[in-house]
Amino acid sequence: MKAILAAVTALVATAMAQVSPAPIPGSPQIVQNGDFSNGTLGWQSSPSGSMRNGMYCIDVPASPPGNSSYLRTSYKFLETKNDVYTLNFTASSSVGFDILVQTPDPPLDPNLNMTAALTTSPYPFSMTFSPANQAPNASLEFDLGGNPADATVCIGSVSMRRIDRSAWRQTYGPAIKINQLGYLPNGPKMATLVTNSTSATAWTLNNAAGDACFNGQTTYQGLDVASNQTVSIIDFSGFATTGDGYTLTAGGSTSYPFSISSTLYDDLRQDSLRFFYQQRSGIAIDGNLVGLQYARAAGHIQIPPNQGDKVVPCQAVHDSLIAYLEPWTCNYTLDVTQGWYDAGDQGKYVVNGGIAAAQLLMEYERTMYTKNGTSQLGDGSLRIPERNNGIPDVLDEARWELDFMMKMQVPANAAPQLVNGTYLDLSSFAHLKVHDNQWTPLPTDPSQDPKRRELHRPSTSATLNLAAAAAMGARVFAKFDPTWAAQALAVAKSAYSAAQRHPPIYAPGTDWDLGGGAYSDNDVTDEYYWAAAELYLTTGAQQYLTDLKANRYHTANISTLFSLPGGFSWASVAALGQLDLATVPSNISNHSAIVQSVVDAADMLMAVQQNSSNGYGVFLTEYPWGSNSNNLNNIQIVATAADLTGNTSYRSAALQGIDYVLGRNAISQSYVRGYGTKQTQNVHSRLYAHELDDRVPQAPPGAMAGGANQAASDPPADDVLPGCAPQTCYVDDVNSYSTNEVAINWNSALAWVVGWAGSQ
Ligand SMILES: *[C@@H]1O[C@H](CO)[C@@H](O)[C@H](O)[C@H]1NC(C)=O
Ligand SMILES: *[C@@H]1O[C@H](CO)[C@@H](O)[C@H](O)[C@H]1NC(C)=O
Ligand SMILES: *[C@@H]1O[C@H](CO)[C@@H](O)[C@H](O)[C@H]1NC(C)=O
Ligand SMILES: *[C@@H]1O[C@H](CO)[C@@H](O)[C@H](O)[C@H]1NC(C)=O
Ligand SMILES: *[C@@H]1O[C@H](CO)[C@@H](O)[C@H](O)[C@H]1NC(C)=O
Ligand SMILES: *[C@@H]1O[C@H](CO)[C@@H](O)[C@H](O)[C@H]1NC(C)=O
Ligand SMILES: *[C@@H]1O[C@H](CO)[C@@H](O)[C@H](O)[C@H]1NC(C)=O
Ligand SMILES: *[C@@H]1O[C@H](CO)[C@@H](O)[C@H](O)[C@H]1NC(C)=O
Ligand SMILES: *[C@@H]1O[C@H](CO)[C@@H](O)[C@H](O)[C@H]1NC(C)=O
Ligand SMILES: *[C@@H]1O[C@H](CO)[C@@H](O)[C@H](O)[C@H]1NC(C)=O
Ligand SMILES: *[C@@H]1O[C@H](CO)[C@@H](O)[C@H](O)[C@H]1NC(C)=O
Ligand SMILES: *[C@@H]1O[C@H](CO)[C@@H](O)[C@H](O)[C@H]1NC(C)=O
Ligand SMILES: [Ca+2]
Ligand SMILES: [Ca+2]
């Protein structure tokens, strides 16, 4: 599933006649008359059979595999995409052979499609599966072909249930909420105590030996609106002795243990970037670099069953008619290998790749203009194949994505393409995305994905996003690889001028659920702003300066410019342009006003953090899909204000904001794999669906879940989160794509922020 479909994923629950009751938590039996106690009520078979010893038995003539003989339900039922089903039945055959068990819902995915090896003794089969697509008209079917000789097949005790989550309860952890990784010795040290007590409560800081080493009194704060918890604050910033295994106690509660260390963020700085290597497409993942359990073959290099990504066509017309309501296609193919898989799926989306690559480039570029951090991001700093090639590894990682994005450009002189009834010259535009034409199940190894890969229609957003990111790449790579930098700059310029050739071609909201997310965007003025800013900073050319100064974002108020308080995102990128105009040296005339805008934005965010209704120091007023990244992107603004001004109140505010994703939150959840006592286990990802298949690993250290989502909707969330307070709307379940997915644009926000924190 896609990370960002909040507005469109609410699948309409269709009521259907002749369908068994829609499954609901706690009463989810789907099969009627599964023990055949009512004869064949609810069943169809060919040939017809009869009851023997409590089972339904069919005499099946010898036949090739297939459905020439079958037993199936006579009614249709709903199978919810990604939900978990278990099918049990007992079966035997007078002649041993394999039957096929299916829940077909043509022309959709196989859903359940498994074989059961029958022998003469009745055997109790149990099969668990998750539909890869919404299947509104599924039936349960036993295909009885494939028997080498005439056979009597008997089936009984058929039961199929949707997972029962009625016993699930949110877990809140200790009443004292802390950053479970820990605190910097010279940084703020805040914790939150959930208590109804309005009076000051004594707290104690204990070292690993259990000895009290610091103490104080809580400050009553009141209601934290986002969690509906009444909280008091513990401030132990005055304590700076490094060590591991500290705990806080207060009001009868003891916190999880944590460290105080000046190297606190060093490992996470690496691990947050490691995520990108493991998301790479088009290259084998080397187990010697990241652990043998993560080794995998190169994905999508057109070795069967892969159908891409070396010679990828545009969408087939029957798909594009759904996406654009007209038969858009093209008559070329592109090699679009490389890049990172976007999220839990294996699509590759230019607009999301662009902001993720940009944040990695910014993480590095920041160190060129501020005093510290370069060596920690240098060549050899990451466990990637390009270590020790003379180029800082974080830049090697970003280039893997930029190389893919540059391949997404429409060839020069391509034939005109249909857009809104007119054929337009889209040469040098960027295709918005490439992904499967249908969803694959969890887990799926990328090298085993058999679906057709398709290029989707170019959009102005993708084209300008490419222009911006490639211009940044050109700038940062100029001294490491001038040849590549020149290529990237040529791409950026050609994309920018191509975008200007036509009125905006918007990526539509209708292009979703054909195996990928929509990434729709109806405002590309911010993309123009970002692209003009980056091209200006890279080239110094007047043309781009003129464009950016004329762009309405340049003079917009700070909430518009920085997307406050919600946070910038793949669809709202003006902040990225403004942050770079503020931090990257240039001759722009109103530079001090631009710096001031970053400072003003940071002030607005500080007001959010310090609001009395905010008990967790988080830069959020709402909790949308991927809220952890909204918080982190806002931290990037506050931290940049700290870099620009040296004002320690911004530094302190930004560091406090990080505590939230590492456990100082209403449910004591560290959303980062490998860090913290109560850390996320079951992220939604085809690479890391360990919860569904033991042979697949859990997500590696440094991978971050999207986090609380006040509009969470997916199979587990729909069962267990109704009525949740926004900051508690999280379920650590592999199928909860709306709260527990991983994504490149979320980890890039984490990477920038912990890269910054590691330099403090
Ligand atoms: C058998 O059918 C009757 C009438 O349709 C129904 O009331 C009863 O619940 C059914 N029993 C089972 C076990 O399905
Ligand atoms: C058997 O399978 C074929 C091919 O999938 C399908 O067209 C046909 O409808 C099926 N027949 C029955 C009786 O299910
Ligand atoms: C179902 O499984 C059978 C046997 O493994 C295979 O031949 C068939 O292609 C599968 N069907 C689908 C739709 O995947
Ligand atoms: C399900 O089947 C019913 C009747 O067979 C049909 O009217 C309906 O369109 C089908 N729904 C879908 C989503 O295919
Ligand atoms: C299937 O059988 C297993 C093992 O006996 C049991 O734990 C489970 O509850 C059964 N599930 C259904 C859907 O009947
Ligand atoms: C605070 O009071 C509310 C309402 O009585 C109660 O539900 C909640 O459990 C209390 N919280 C704590 C931490 O005692
Ligand atoms: C907030 O908590 C109070 C009691 O602690 C409860 O009555 C109320 O329903 C809760 N509100 C929400 C939105 O959860
Ligand atoms: C694509 O279409 C254009 C215009 O119809 C045509 O000139 C060109 O030869 C076609 N290219 C290919 C590879 O078919
Ligand atoms: C197509 O036209 C409609 C109606 O004028 C407009 O809303 C939409 O944005 C246009 N789409 C593109 C891609 O130009
Ligand atoms: C900022 O500008 C937008 C768009 O013009 C407007 O809707 C919003 O109210 C303004 N916000 C502030 C804080 O002035
Ligand atoms: C600013 O302008 C001067 C004079 O044209 C030029 O030498 C310098 O490189 C420019 N600086 C930047 C950062 O573009
Ligand atoms: C980073 O630089 C700041 C000043 O820019 C300095 O106060 C701090 O000590 C430096 N940190 C490290 C780890 O060098
Ligand atoms: Ca390197
Ligand atoms: Ca936009």
Side-chain angles (χ1 to χ4, degrees):
M1 248 324 269
K2 212 39 306 357
I4 0 273
L5 299 171
V8 280
T9 32
L11 291 159
V12 182
T14 339
M16 273 169 295
Q18 203 214 0
V19 165
S20 68
I24 53 165
S27 63
Q29 178 58 259
I30 289 167
V31 171
Q32 301 163 2
N33 188 29
D35 61 0
F36 298 90
S37 60
N38 263 352
T40 56
L41 180 77
W43 294 100
Q44 298 173 340
S45 76
S46 174
S48 61
S50 59
M51 293 302 293
R52 286 173 227 172
N53 302 325
M55 296 170 84
Y56 186 72
C57 299
I58 303 168
D59 293 325
V60 179
S63 58
N67 63 2
S68 52
S69 300
Y70 62 85
L71 170 68
R72 67 162 175 240
T73 58
S74 59
Y75 48 87
K76 309 283 187 186
F77 52 83
L78 169 69
E79 274 181 353
T80 308
K81 176 160 88 175
N82 285 318
D83 216 338
V84 182
Y85 294 82
T86 302
L87 168 69
N88 288 358
F89 60 93
T90 300
S92 64
S93 169
S94 59
V95 174
F97 76 107
D98 291 358
I99 61 169
L100 188 61
V101 188
Q102 296 177 304
T103 57
D105 184 18
L108 300 179
D109 68 319
N111 303 335
L112 174 68
N113 183 38
M114 298 172 113
T115 56
L118 304 193
T119 58
T120 49
S121 358
Y123 185 82
F125 293 93
S126 184
M127 300 168 167
T128 296
F129 67 101
S130 281
N133 287 313
Q134 192 77 357
N137 283 349
S139 54
L140 173 63
E141 181 171 300
F142 300 87
D143 287 347
L144 306 180
N147 48 331
D150 292 359
T152 300
V153 174
C154 298
I155 296 176
S157 305
V158 187
S159 160
M160 183 168 153
R161 288 177 186 275
R162 201 172 73 87
I163 190 170
D164 180 358
R165 300 187 177 92
S166 55
W168 188 91
R169 296 289 177 275
Q170 185 59 278
T171 53
Y172 292 87
I176 301 180
K177 319 294 189 181
I178 51 146
N179 179 330
Q180 294 166 33
L181 174 58
Y183 299 85
L184 291 170
N186 63 350
K189 297 176 196 67
M190 312 292 279
T192 301
L193 173 65
V194 178
T195 172
N196 287 330
S197 167
T198 58
S199 52
T201 305
W203 56 260
T204 307
L205 177 69
N206 311 295
N207 63 19
D211 300 331
C213 45
F214 203 55
N215 56 61
Q217 299 277 313
T218 62
T219 307
Y220 176 68
Q221 171 115 1
L223 183 70
D224 174 76
V225 170
S227 64
N228 200 25
Q229 294 168 335
T230 307
V231 300
S232 291
I233 304 300
I234 296 169
D235 180 352
F236 60 111
S237 305
F239 186 82
T241 308
T242 58
D244 297 324
Y246 286 109
T247 53
L248 282 166
T249 57
S253 165
T254 300
S255 74
Y256 290 132
F258 58 89
S259 301
I260 296 177
S261 167
S262 58
T263 56
L264 191 75
Y265 287 106
D266 286 8
D267 289 348
L268 183 51
R269 173 171 41 208
Q270 282 191 31
D271 285 340
S272 61
L273 291 168
R274 160 190 175 153
F275 176 77
F276 293 90
Y277 172 52
Q278 294 194 220
Q279 290 287 115
R280 281 194 200 181
S281 179
I283 188 174
I285 301 307
D286 184 348
N288 292 320
L289 293 175
V290 289
L292 293 178
Q293 73 272 40
Y294 293 114
R296 60 175 171 84
H300 300 100
I301 52 170
Q302 207 112 3
I303 294 176
N306 281 173
Q307 297 191 49
D309 289 345
K310 287 194 168 169
V311 185
V312 180
C314 285
Q315 265 182 312
V317 161
H318 59 81
D319 285 344
S320 69
L321 275 169
I322 299 168
Y324 316 113
L325 317 174
E326 63 184 353
W328 170 81
T329 191
C330 71
N331 70 355
Y332 52 83
T333 59
L334 292 180
D335 175 346
V336 291
T337 48
Q338 297 184 265
W340 302 310
Y341 297 123
D342 190 62
D345 66 329
Q346 288 156 15
K348 300 188 293 193
Y349 307 80
V350 167
V351 291
N352 213 39
I355 76 154
Q359 274 182 308
L360 266 50
L361 295 171
M362 289 169 96
E363 179 179 0
Y364 181 82
E365 195 170 23
R366 164 182 179 271
T367 66
M368 297 168 66
Y369 313 120
T370 50
K371 287 192 193 76
N372 39 31
T374 314
S375 62
Q376 294 93 330
L377 292 170
D379 191 22
S381 61
L382 297 177
R383 300 179 66 82
I384 59 172
E386 302 82 7
R387 58 204 274 108
N388 304 323
N389 66 350
I391 296 173
D393 290 346
V394 65
L395 300 186
D396 290 314
E397 194 56 69
R399 179 155 73 171
W400 191 262
E401 180 69 16
L402 293 173
D403 277 333
F404 152 72
M405 289 172 62
M406 285 156 57
K407 294 174 184 173
M408 290 289 277
Q409 250 189 328
V410 175
N413 306 315
Q417 297 179 24
L418 181 63
V419 179
N420 255 4
T422 308
Y423 281 88
L424 299 178
D425 174 10
L426 299 186
S427 302
S428 299
F429 268 68
H431 289 275
L432 176 65
K433 50 183 187 163
V434 54
H435 58 68
D436 295 332
N437 67 327
Q438 292 176 331
W439 294 106
T440 53
L442 277 78
T444 292
D445 183 296
S447 69
Q448 299 304 309
D449 170 7
K451 302 288 186 190
R452 183 172 74 242
R453 305 280 278 184
E454 294 179 331
L455 296 168
H456 289 240
R457 194 176 73 183
S459 74
T460 303
S461 59
T463 305
L464 291 168
N465 190 296
L466 169 64
M472 293 173 78
R475 184 168 73 235
V476 180
F477 269 90
K479 77 173 182 197
F480 296 111
D481 187 343
T483 309
W484 185 86
Q487 274 169 21
L489 185 57
V491 165
K493 288 178 174 175
S494 69
Y496 188 80
S497 36
Q500 290 180 310
R501 215 159 47 222
H502 305 299
I505 297 173
Y506 296 118
T510 39
D511 185 14
W512 75 286
D513 214 26
L514 296 157
Y519 284 96
S520 57
D521 187 350
N522 288 329
D523 176 12
V524 296
T525 311
D526 56 317
E527 279 77 12
Y528 265 114
Y529 187 62
W530 185 30
E534 299 300 349
L535 275 159
Y536 167 66
L537 291 170
T538 302
T539 65
Q542 182 65 38
Q543 169 201 355
Y544 305 116
L545 181 61
T546 306
D547 285 359
L548 81 89
K549 286 196 164 178
N551 189 294
R552 74 176 152 79
Y553 278 92
H554 196 56
T555 49
N557 64 34
I558 51 165
S559 40
T560 300
L561 188 46
F562 291 94
S563 314
L564 303 179
F568 63 84
S569 67
W570 57 266
S572 301
V573 295
L576 295 170
Q578 191 77 353
L579 289 170
D580 271 355
L581 287 171
T583 53
V584 178
S586 75
N587 284 327
I588 195 162
S589 56
N590 61 338
H591 186 254
S592 61
I594 292 168
V595 169
Q596 189 59 43
S597 77
V598 177
V599 170
D600 291 346
D603 287 341
M604 186 182 250
L605 287 166
M606 297 260 289
V608 168
Q609 185 179 55
Q610 289 164 5
N611 189 293
S612 63
S613 68
N614 183 346
Y616 288 102
V618 63
F619 293 107
L620 293 174
T621 54
E622 293 187 328
Y623 291 73
W625 197 318
S627 64
N628 285 337
S629 74
N630 299 68
N631 177 48
L632 292 164
N633 286 338
N634 281 336
I635 294 173
Q636 183 175 347
I637 292 170
V638 179
T640 301
D643 279 352
L644 288 167
T645 64
N647 181 330
T648 53
S649 62
Y650 297 126
R651 174 181 181 275
S652 175
L655 288 171
Q656 273 190 65
I658 303 173
D659 296 341
Y660 173 85
V661 296
L662 288 162
R664 186 187 171 205
N665 55 55
I667 56 172
S668 305
Q669 186 73 24
S670 171
Y671 292 104
V672 182
R673 289 281 305 146
Y675 293 83
T677 305
K678 183 178 176 242
Q679 60 176 267
T680 290
Q681 300 294 330
N682 303 308
V683 303
H684 176 83
S685 166
R686 281 160 181 74
L687 292 176
Y688 305 125
H690 176 78
E691 196 182 5
L692 299 175
D693 186 340
D694 286 345
R695 292 166 299 181
V696 175
Q698 287 179 292
M704 183 185 74
N709 177 355
Q710 66 191 54
S713 182
D714 53 54
D718 291 346
D719 280 356
V720 304
L721 294 181
C724 55
Q727 204 187 92
T728 69
C729 298
Y730 172 75
V731 51
D732 188 2
D733 187 304
V734 68
N735 288 311
S736 184
Y737 44 83
S738 74
T739 75
N740 215 26
E741 191 163 2
V742 288
I744 54 173
N745 60 319
W746 302 344
N747 248 77
S748 62
L750 178 67
W752 191 98
V753 164
V754 299
W756 173 83
S759 72
Q760 296 304 302

